[in-house]
Amino acid sequence: MAPIPGSGLAKGLAVTLRTMTRKSVTKQYPDAQPDLPPRTRGVIGLFEENCTVCMLCARECPDWCIYIDSHKETIPAATPGGRERSRNVLDRFAIDFSLCMYCGICIEVCPFDALFWSPEFEYAETDIRDLTHERDKLREWMWTVPEPPALDPAAEEPKEIAAARKTAEKLAAAQAEPREGES
């Protein structure tokens, strides 16, 4: 069946009229904070204790906006006759948010969960050179990171937990059998 000429125009005008008759809702931003969806991407927070200075985040960043400086420290042997160890110590961790495109690759590739999305979005500066935030500022944003969502109760139990539970049930059953024979 062929469409009626002008039906598309009539549908478009109907949408326009419906939209025009609705009451608009405008939130005055500085006075009323917006309701952000959960897990909003605002800025990147750094949990410095987990950072091992592996440099994966800086290497994988497509914009090259992550700057990391470190040095090696020698740790004395834990036991007599053992060998000394060396570890990287973080000196500088900075992100230039004027270059960052908020893709989240750095957060995804971090094997030690040192980077997280924070919902903070109010970090405007009057000078673009001030958008390079050092580790102190990134650490402040870490405390605004929301808790991860709860696991789905209908999800399948992980294999490791199921195997551990079965082993515990077998041990409990084995311990319960001699007690029943004793009475």
Side-chain angles (χ1 to χ4, degrees):
M1 180 174 240
I4 301 172
S7 64
L9 178 65
K11 288 180 185 177
L13 286 173
V15 170
T16 303
L17 286 173
R18 264 196 315 257
T19 306
M20 284 176 52
T21 57
R22 284 189 198 142
K23 183 180 178 187
S24 63
V25 179
T26 304
K27 291 187 177 182
Q28 301 299 324
Y29 165 63
D31 300 328
Q33 292 293 321
D35 298 325
L36 299 174
R39 310 302 288 174
T40 297
R41 288 184 175 191
V43 293
I44 298 167
L46 171 68
F47 191 55
E48 195 174 330
E49 286 78 16
N50 287 356
C51 184
T52 61
V53 196
C54 66
M55 305 286 232
L56 277 174
C57 54
R59 277 185 273 160
E60 295 296 324
C61 180
D63 292 332
W64 293 86
C65 64
I66 299 175
Y67 310 111
I68 300 175
D69 292 330
S70 67
H71 70 276
K72 288 202 182 275
E73 270 185 7
T74 304
I75 301 171
T79 58
R83 71 181 177 111
E84 294 179 333
R85 306 274 181 187
S86 66
R87 70 177 180 112
N88 288 327
V89 177
L90 187 65
D91 292 330
R92 179 182 187 223
F93 193 103
I95 299 177
D96 188 351
F97 286 105
S98 66
L99 297 175
C100 183
M101 65 179 181
Y102 304 93
C103 64
I105 292 174
C106 57
I107 295 168
E108 295 297 320
V109 301
C110 182
F112 301 105
D113 289 334
L115 298 173
F116 294 89
W117 282 116
S118 169
E120 294 293 317
F121 61 93
E122 299 174 312
Y123 56 95
E125 300 287 345
T126 56
D127 188 4
I128 196 168
R129 291 174 288 196
D130 294 334
L131 281 172
T132 301
H133 294 292
E134 298 292 331
R135 68 183 182 180
D136 297 333
K137 187 67 174 176
L138 299 175
R139 184 175 183 76
E140 287 176 25
W141 285 325
M142 183 60 212
W143 307 121
T144 63
V145 173
E147 290 289 323
L151 297 176
D152 185 7
E156 200 174 288
E157 187 176 43
K159 295 175 188 173
E160 297 86 2
I161 294 175
R165 190 170 20 74
K166 285 180 185 178
T167 305
E169 288 172 358
K170 286 180 185 177
L171 287 173
Q175 289 176 353
E177 286 177 10
R179 290 183 187 159
E180 291 174 5
E182 290 175 2
S183 5

